[in-house]
Amino acid sequence: MVVAFKEENTVAFKHLFLKGYSGTDEDDYSCSVYTQEDVYESIFFALSQYRQLKNISLGTLGYGENEDNRIGLKVCKQHYKKGTMFPSNETLNIDSDIEKDCVHLDLSKSPQDWKNSSFFRLEFYRLLQVEISFHLKGIDLQTIHSRELPDCYVFQNTITFDNKAHSGKIKIYFDSEAKIEECKDLNISGSIQKNTQYVLVFDAFVIVICLASLILCTRSIVLALRLRKRFLDFFLEKYKRRVCDADQWEFINGWYILVIISDLMTIIGSILKMEIKAKNLTNYDLCSILLGTSTLFVWVGVIRYLGYFQAYNVLILTMQASLPKVLRFCACAGMIYLGYTFCGWIVLGPYHDKFEDLNTVAECLFSLVNGDDMFATFAQIQQKSILVWLFSRLYLYSFISLFIYMILSLFIALITDSYDTIKKYQQNGFPETDLQEFLKECSSKEKYQKGSSAFLSCVCCLRRKGSEDHLIPVT
Amino acid sequence: MVVAFKEENTVAFKHLFLKGYSGTDEDDYSCSVYTQEDVYESIFFALSQYRQLKNISLGTLGYGENEDNRIGLKVCKQHYKKGTMFPSNETLNIDSDIEKDCVHLDLSKSPQDWKNSSFFRLEFYRLLQVEISFHLKGIDLQTIHSRELPDCYVFQNTITFDNKAHSGKIKIYFDSEAKIEECKDLNISGSIQKNTQYVLVFDAFVIVICLASLILCTRSIVLALRLRKRFLDFFLEKYKRRVCDADQWEFINGWYILVIISDLMTIIGSILKMEIKAKNLTNYDLCSILLGTSTLFVWVGVIRYLGYFQAYNVLILTMQASLPKVLRFCACAGMIYLGYTFCGWIVLGPYHDKFEDLNTVAECLFSLVNGDDMFATFAQIQQKSILVWLFSRLYLYSFISLFIYMILSLFIALITDSYDTIKKYQQNGFPETDLQEFLKECSSKEKYQKGSSAFLSCVCCLRRKGSEDHLIPVT
Amino acid sequence: MVVAFKEENTVAFKHLFLKGYSGTDEDDYSCSVYTQEDVYESIFFALSQYRQLKNISLGTLGYGENEDNRIGLKVCKQHYKKGTMFPSNETLNIDSDIEKDCVHLDLSKSPQDWKNSSFFRLEFYRLLQVEISFHLKGIDLQTIHSRELPDCYVFQNTITFDNKAHSGKIKIYFDSEAKIEECKDLNISGSIQKNTQYVLVFDAFVIVICLASLILCTRSIVLALRLRKRFLDFFLEKYKRRVCDADQWEFINGWYILVIISDLMTIIGSILKMEIKAKNLTNYDLCSILLGTSTLFVWVGVIRYLGYFQAYNVLILTMQASLPKVLRFCACAGMIYLGYTFCGWIVLGPYHDKFEDLNTVAECLFSLVNGDDMFATFAQIQQKSILVWLFSRLYLYSFISLFIYMILSLFIALITDSYDTIKKYQQNGFPETDLQEFLKECSSKEKYQKGSSAFLSCVCCLRRKGSEDHLIPVT
Amino acid sequence: MVVAFKEENTVAFKHLFLKGYSGTDEDDYSCSVYTQEDVYESIFFALSQYRQLKNISLGTLGYGENEDNRIGLKVCKQHYKKGTMFPSNETLNIDSDIEKDCVHLDLSKSPQDWKNSSFFRLEFYRLLQVEISFHLKGIDLQTIHSRELPDCYVFQNTITFDNKAHSGKIKIYFDSEAKIEECKDLNISGSIQKNTQYVLVFDAFVIVICLASLILCTRSIVLALRLRKRFLDFFLEKYKRRVCDADQWEFINGWYILVIISDLMTIIGSILKMEIKAKNLTNYDLCSILLGTSTLFVWVGVIRYLGYFQAYNVLILTMQASLPKVLRFCACAGMIYLGYTFCGWIVLGPYHDKFEDLNTVAECLFSLVNGDDMFATFAQIQQKSILVWLFSRLYLYSFISLFIYMILSLFIALITDSYDTIKKYQQNGFPETDLQEFLKECSSKEKYQKGSSAFLSCVCCLRRKGSEDHLIPVT
């Protein structure tokens, strides 16, 4: 909700302060101008809108104070120190050091006066950028409905006219940074329900549950590690040989580790959430990422219980068995993928929007592999240079064919193969490991262990022994 | 046709009453304004358009009466009871109770008078919403061509200026609810064909046929259940053991149940349709859903007859055999899917249009799995917070890779495996169940049953025995 | 080129005669108006533009004569015979017979006069449509460069204001039909190359080649049929049993039939092309379809020669062997597909653009199966009725899951299976048929046949015997 | 950066000189006009904008000199020599020779004077095109930050009003060609870091490394070829038979050839890059293609090292083994693909944007095969001709079904088959070739060779013997 409020305010500011704003940003900039007259008009439009703000704006806005504690606009321009330039004669005389001039405009003067000031006579050939910055204060009344206290905001708005490219096109950026501040003087009457306590109690309850689960799982892991140590010693003593690595790993239940991570995340996330509610913190993103990821892990954890049924187990085992092969294959394919990514970025970067920066190239190629946006990618290449055009065709056809027809098919071959293997194992029995042989021989000692363990891990973890039984040696 | 008429009228109203309406809605709202002047202009535009409606509108519209039986507009505004607010000083003095003021504007006064009324001096900082509502009456003449009587409509239009967010952007909603009423005084001359009887007769015929089919299929099911009972008793008596579950289910023909459901839907749907024709009901949606679904089932039912050919049968059997495995696997995959859905909703919700609510997230992820709209989903994440941006990349790459490369491949492995199994069965014979062995031994008793059954299920169902023969024990 | 000329002229007409035309059609209509004033303005705009055509238009246009051989505009309006209507009282008094009034406007009167005429006082509540039609003549000079004679065109333009829905929205259709006529008086001087002869000669050459190929292939087929007859008689006599169907079909070479069809199409297409060149015919579409399809067949025919290599042959055989299975399976899947198509059309038709008519539904579902436009299809459902919305979710999820996860996977299973079968055959030899056994025994007779056949089919067909050898019995 | 500068300048020019330019090009042309008035206005707008350029433009522009060394605009018009045309009478009297009139407009005269000149009285019925061309000079100051010297540009701008179609629509093209020239008189003061030396040193270092790698790899290849020759002689002598082709190829390490090509490309690319830096060349595209491709090859080369691990090797071997089969199959599928491409181009070309030229058809079909843009392709067919519409449905459904359901599935079958083969080989050992048998017998001689080779190929190539060991005979 806070994010949406900031977002809507930014859109409203763009409509108020940018002349001819169409409602959608053009690219990373909001709009662009091409003539000197338009630049002046855009600047003075913003200035005059700021002056009349109270009579225009629909929001609950007021003027805020600058960094220098003054109310008003601050206009800065950057330009090369001095210079004369005659493009017709290809003559250039310029000092490449950059100068920055600023002026503070308060509300006392009329915009007409500003227009006539010499500051606003811009020399475009050496101008680098004009920056108009001002602070506005606002109150988010929306929160009254759901929570007690409305938030006060300080918006640090900056309009930047960027002429660094000197290409005849000035890009206008609008940047609005919103800071939440505690309102100084709040006086709210009327009947509002104060049910935040219940939410708080619920949060605390979640934390307690997770803490319990965390402790129990950690205890199980610790016990398992101890058991492993005893087993290793015993095995070494009795059979005079070391237990293989895969067997050693079986003592550690992967699901428990998942639960521990998930619990940790939930606890930290919930604490963050309570702090945000109490207005001590504003780190929404981290909190939502922690809680979101823990939710994902909880759902994934449910799969464990499905694994107790024979029929479901095949599928889980297949996925487990094929995972290392798939990852290994991904490493190979990843090399070619990376090669294509870099190659595309270097060659097609200047001619194609989707190849402008490395991560976009990676995303674009990833989409292509999965059959998305193919025609658009083909069509967007600008036909400026025939050489690049030909290269792009070769590049795209070869990449798509290679990945879709060979690599994706190979994935299917890998998974089908794993599935067949697992199915055969289920019919004929899994190949036995040292550990399992040992377990068969002496199950009496184990049973004692199981009894105590089962009691301890009752909240979030099912019986250890049971899950150990269905672990398979992934070869 | 009725839906299209309502739709077009709503579009026409939006063009008539909303100032600066572009022809397409912006989001869930129709348009939005950002300055105080625009708000006033939009309000008075709607008022004056309403007043001149007769001279402007192209439709057959007239003023309708309000809930309080008065002709005219009703303008309501909601605002906080009282308040002063100085955002600059972060001072707020507000009564959070909401007050609602209404005024009724009839056609006698000119819009100029309205403008000067104190009601329309809005205090935006405490304004919550302005609502303009009015009723219009219309006649749908289009129906004259196809049916006897034109419908009369009452349109309950509401224009809402929503300032609840207090973000400087007021969203304008246009809501038009159309009610069908019987016209009071209809006087239609001229030559129109009255062929509605034929449609009525056809509908009745369909109902009769479906009823017959319904009865016969139900009878078959009942007979089959009786036979099962006798078989169970007999088997228990003779072989001293219970018949297994799968065998018991074979007595009930799934196709018959499909036919019964389809028939029931057609009958209810057709009755609804006749009622709608007779203008007693307006529940178009339910009627079309019933008839549509029954059509789907009828087509699916045709597959049964293809199953009598050996070559087609392989495919149907494969699908039948693999269905439980696929569903079981879907349950596993569904867990991970749900986890990702919740996680995406929590974390990416505020930053991405497609993750705004839970069902959209589910649809978006479903599309991604099937390779649609991938690049767009990647690109739409707002780069406001670098943390969220990184998370979104990890989230999307991991989700897509996991589902497309592992889970979809596993589907193929499942189906290929089922196909091979069925093919082997067809070559070497299916594994025999108790029931089939029993049937082999004593087919004389069965033949009598078949004779009677064949006669009864003549309308919609083919011979029971025949279909029983090709049932397979899905293991 | 002719199609492009017509297209561009229509676009130019729309810009000239439609007021406020945006450059793209809205739907199947070009634009729409919502107020009475706009209707009048649109009508008189078209009239006045027609009058000033010579001073406005960039094309080489002149006024053409009407069906009644008069120059000028013909404006017709259709309305219900008489009627009064008071929607406020729900009172309607209408004669449902439709009256048509026409008026002919020539160039002598000024548009101002037209405006005042009583004909243009429209009563919208009973108006059905207004139609403005006029003929224009134009010359396509573009052809001068490539061919001798420019074409003269008659454009029959009709602007229709459609108010049949009486929904307050009048849709404006622009319809331009272009007829090619021979120009009466052409006088072209200057130096133009007359190289149409070469094209003509080339066309004739193609026809001759195709005719030769056609005759030779037909001869081969006829000879093969005779041979079959003799073989059947001989076989019946010697082994006392009939030859199986599959063996009988092997005598007829499928490739020859392909060549015959392709040749026939090329010949007819080329003749049509020559006729079009000679301006006797204007049936471009049929000509291009015939020539295009024959091109497709020629390319497909090339595959035959690849079949002579062992390695390529596997693939062709696999496709041949799996085709009947795939088609059979398509029949099953087609039932479900048809069911979904009808169901979607009935239920979702009024709420979703893509479900408006049957063939669009089929295309939409087909795209969904192949993973295209999924999210858009989900998102476009209007949330008017919660029941329909829920149904649409169920409908789309079930359809996509069923088709992508089960049916597409089954295709892969089918093809993989066929591939394995063919591969095994190639290693162990194909199962021998009666025909092949017979051929082994007595190849002396066959050799004579081969000798003569090889000579005859030298132009387009390779040796018959050779291709017979690699035919496989598709079981 | 240079490409972006040119691009932005072109956009700025379009906004400056084209009246009513919307910001995006319509098709391959920038905008279009439909009335005589608009043509005149567009022409004089461009002229007057050129005249006021200094006061309007935001870029660092100056007038440049023409080819005839004059400053000013050159306006040319092409038209048929003479002609009268009365489309109403279908009378045409035209001289098809084309005349070209030019006029030079300098800055001395006012646009008002130009308007009245007889040159600008266009006779549209015989006008072919109007061309306004002018030269502008500009300086790219952006480079000051990163490099020493700003570039001077000459922009050769041409605005073309194309009336060749005589269809009533004049298309306006804007063409801007930018040439980089050395500025004549540069005088830059201020503090700029001159760190180009470091880049230069780095480039040189890359070249040296690549050269070393190139030499070593070439040496290895040469040695291998010599060894092959000796082996062939020895084998022929000892076993009295020739070594098979596959065995001969094993002597040549494919990876080395990859490294050599990659090195060559890097070296040439780096040299080009240094030349471009030194402003001797402007061939950016070739340079980026060479460097990009070499990057791709370097990444692909990394896969070799993964091949030393057993688990990774399976996958690489599978890809290697299946490649020839896949290519062979692609040849077959390619025939059908080409057939469809030509057929679609011939028939659907005039009715569908995506079928306009051959390479677009190929791209469109390629996208369709991979499940992209299907619904859009279906929907875009214009329903002008019912015959073509039907054909397009048949064409698209058959193409998509054939390719997605049969051919893509066959790819999977191929790859799965290769994977199974390789897996079986790894378990049971690869079939031994003559070469491998020979190597087993006498490994003493080989060891000597290995010793010397290992030393030589130390920089970029791993041991030859090692890589030879894992080469498999692709059968």
Side-chain angles (χ1 to χ4, degrees), chain D residues 197-258:
Chain D
Q197 284 91 334
Y198 303 112
V199 177
L200 225 73
V201 168
F202 178 73
D203 280 348
F205 181 68
V206 166
I207 292 177
V208 169
I209 292 282
C210 286
L211 215 61
S213 152
L214 177 65
I215 292 165
L216 289 167
C217 285
T218 316
R219 195 183 169 285
S220 288
I221 292 276
V222 170
L223 286 177
L225 286 175
R226 269 194 222 153
L227 180 67
R228 184 176 73 162
K229 204 173 167 289
R230 280 166 57 194
F231 174 72
L232 291 183
D233 295 345
F234 177 80
F235 204 81
L236 198 65
E237 199 177 308
K238 191 166 175 191
Y239 298 96
K240 308 291 178 217
R241 59 186 172 97
R242 294 206 61 240
V243 181
C244 69
D245 247 32
D247 273 358
Q248 290 194 19
W249 276 106
E250 284 196 31
F251 282 90
I252 297 155
N253 192 333
W255 293 115
Y256 286 5
I257 292 168
L258 191 83

Side-chain angles (χ1 to χ4, degrees), chain A residues 36 90 167 171 351 374 393, chain D residues 8 56-57 181 285 363:
Chain A
Q36 298 182 9
E90 295 176 358
S167 64
K171 296 168 186 170
Y351 296 94
M374 211 170 282
R393 260 60 202 156
Chain D
E8 282 200 356
I56 294 173
S57 160
E181 285 192 359
D285 295 337
E363 289 158 18

Side-chain angles (χ1 to χ4, degrees), chain D residues 7 16 45 48 52 63 93 160 165 180 190 245 254 258 286 315 341 343 370 373 377-378 394 400 410 444 450 457:
Chain D
E7 204 59 41
L16 284 183
F45 179 81
S48 87
Q52 312 166 8
Y63 298 114
N93 188 343
T160 312
I180 300 183
D245 247 32
L258 191 83
L286 187 66
L315 306 161
T341 307
C343 177
N370 298 306
D373 243 10
T377 309
F378 269 109
L394 198 73
I400 296 170
L410 201 36
S444 60
K450 167 188 156 195
S457 53

Side-chain angles (χ1 to χ4, degrees), chain B residues 3-5 7-12 15-16 49 53-65 137-142 144-145 150 152-154 181-192 283 285-286 288-289 291-293 295-296 299-300 302-303 306 311-312 315-316 318-319 322-323 326 337 354 359-360 362-364 366-367 369-373 408 411-412 415-416 419-420 423, chain C residues 32-37 39 80 82 85-98 124-126 128 163-171 325 327-336 338-340 342-343 346-348 350-351 368 370-376 378-379 382-385 387-389 391 393 395-397 400-402 404-410 412-414 416-417 421:
Chain B
V3 175
F5 180 74
E7 203 59 41
E8 283 201 356
N9 259 302
T10 307
V11 172
H15 274 95
L16 283 183
Q49 289 289 87
L53 192 62
K54 290 263 175 182
N55 302 324
I56 294 173
S57 161
L58 294 171
T60 51
L61 294 172
Y63 298 114
E65 282 144 20
K137 286 187 172 176
I139 299 176
D140 183 7
L141 276 178
Q142 222 176 346
I144 287 189
H145 301 290
C152 280
Y153 284 86
V154 176
E181 285 192 0
E182 229 164 310
C183 293
K184 278 176 198 158
D185 189 2
L186 284 176
N187 189 357
I188 296 165
S189 48
S191 52
I192 14 173
N283 204 339
D285 296 336
L286 187 66
S288 67
I289 287 176
L291 288 177
T293 316
T295 312
L296 172 59
W299 279 102
V300 170
V302 175
I303 289 181
L306 289 175
Y312 290 94
L315 306 161
I316 299 165
T318 307
M319 285 178 67
S322 61
L323 195 64
V326 167
Y337 188 79
K354 288 186 180 176
N359 77 59
T360 321
E363 289 158 18
C364 173
F366 193 66
S367 305
V369 170
N370 298 306
D372 184 54
D373 242 11
L408 284 194
F411 272 119
I412 293 172
I415 305 265
T416 310
Y419 180 74
D420 288 347
K423 231 192 119 185
Chain C
S32 52
V33 286
Y34 298 92
T35 63
Q36 298 183 9
E37 207 188 331
V39 175
Y80 291 119
K82 63 182 177 197
M85 195 183 291
F86 303 99
S88 313
N89 308 335
E90 295 176 0
T91 321
L92 179 69
N93 187 346
I94 209 152
D95 186 339
S96 71
D97 286 338
I98 292 164
F124 289 99
Y125 68 89
R126 61 186 188 111
L128 282 168
N163 192 32
K164 271 176 200 139
H166 283 277
S167 64
K169 170 183 187 174
I170 288 188
K171 296 167 186 170
K325 279 189 210 163
L327 287 182
R328 232 176 276 138
F329 181 52
C330 281
C332 292
M335 290 298 143
I336 309 179
L338 272 175
Y340 269 100
F342 278 103
C343 178
I346 292 170
V347 181
L348 302 178
Y351 297 95
L368 286 178
N370 298 306
D372 184 52
D373 243 10
M374 211 170 281
F375 187 74
F378 269 111
Q382 298 158 17
Q383 296 205 5
K384 284 286 163 67
S385 152
L387 204 69
V388 171
W389 187 83
F391 178 83
R393 260 59 202 158
Y395 174 85
L396 286 175
Y397 276 124
I400 297 170
S401 304
L402 185 68
I404 295 198
Y405 303 142
M406 296 213 47
I407 292 180
L408 284 194
S409 300
L410 202 36
I412 292 172
L414 283 178
T416 310
D417 180 56
T421 313

Side-chain angles (χ1 to χ4, degrees), chain A residues 119-253:
Chain A
F119 180 85
F120 285 112
R121 225 153 289 138
L122 306 169
E123 287 171 314
F124 289 101
Y125 69 86
R126 62 187 186 110
L127 181 75
L128 282 168
Q129 74 174 24
V130 175
E131 217 180 72
I132 304 172
S133 60
F134 50 93
H135 286 212
L136 294 176
K137 287 187 173 175
I139 300 175
D140 182 8
L141 277 178
Q142 222 176 345
T143 50
I144 287 189
H145 300 290
S146 53
R147 282 187 291 161
E148 264 162 293
L149 302 174
D151 294 319
C152 280
Y153 284 86
V154 176
F155 298 101
Q156 304 177 346
N157 295 331
T158 316
I159 307 173
T160 312
F161 293 77
D162 179 8
N163 192 31
K164 271 175 200 142
H166 283 277
S167 64
K169 171 184 187 174
I170 288 189
K171 296 168 186 170
I172 305 179
Y173 295 85
F174 187 93
D175 206 58
S176 174
E177 223 164 288
K179 270 193 207 160
I180 300 183
E181 285 192 359
E182 229 165 311
C183 293
K184 278 177 196 154
D185 190 2
L186 284 177
N187 188 356
I188 295 164
S189 47
S191 52
I192 14 172
Q193 302 88 358
K194 306 191 174 187
N195 61 353
T196 37
Q197 283 92 334
Y198 302 114
V199 176
L200 226 72
V201 168
F202 178 72
D203 279 348
F205 180 70
V206 166
I207 291 177
V208 169
I209 291 283
C210 286
L211 215 62
S213 152
L214 177 64
I215 291 165
L216 289 168
C217 284
T218 315
R219 195 182 169 285
S220 289
I221 293 275
V222 170
L223 286 178
L225 287 175
R226 269 194 221 152
L227 180 66
R228 183 175 74 163
K229 205 173 167 290
R230 277 167 59 196
F231 174 73
L232 291 182
D233 295 344
F234 176 80
F235 204 82
L236 199 66
E237 199 178 308
K238 191 167 173 191
Y239 299 96
K240 309 289 178 219
R241 61 188 173 96
R242 292 207 62 239
V243 181
C244 70
D245 247 32
D247 273 359
Q248 290 194 20
W249 275 105
E250 285 197 30
F251 280 90
I252 297 155
N253 192 335

Side-chain angles (χ1 to χ4, degrees), chain B residues 423, chain C residues 325 416-426:
Chain B
K423 231 192 119 185
Chain C
K325 279 189 210 163
T416 310
D417 180 56
S418 298
Y419 179 75
D420 289 347
T421 313
I422 295 292
K423 231 192 121 184
K424 221 173 284 165
Y425 281 169
Q426 278 207 328

Side-chain angles (χ1 to χ4, degrees), chain C residues 187-213:
Chain C
N187 189 355
I188 296 164
S189 48
S191 52
I192 14 171
Q193 302 87 0
K194 305 192 175 185
N195 61 352
T196 37
Q197 284 91 333
Y198 302 112
V199 176
L200 227 72
V201 168
F202 178 73
D203 280 349
F205 181 70
V206 166
I207 291 176
V208 169
I209 292 283
C210 286
L211 215 62
S213 152

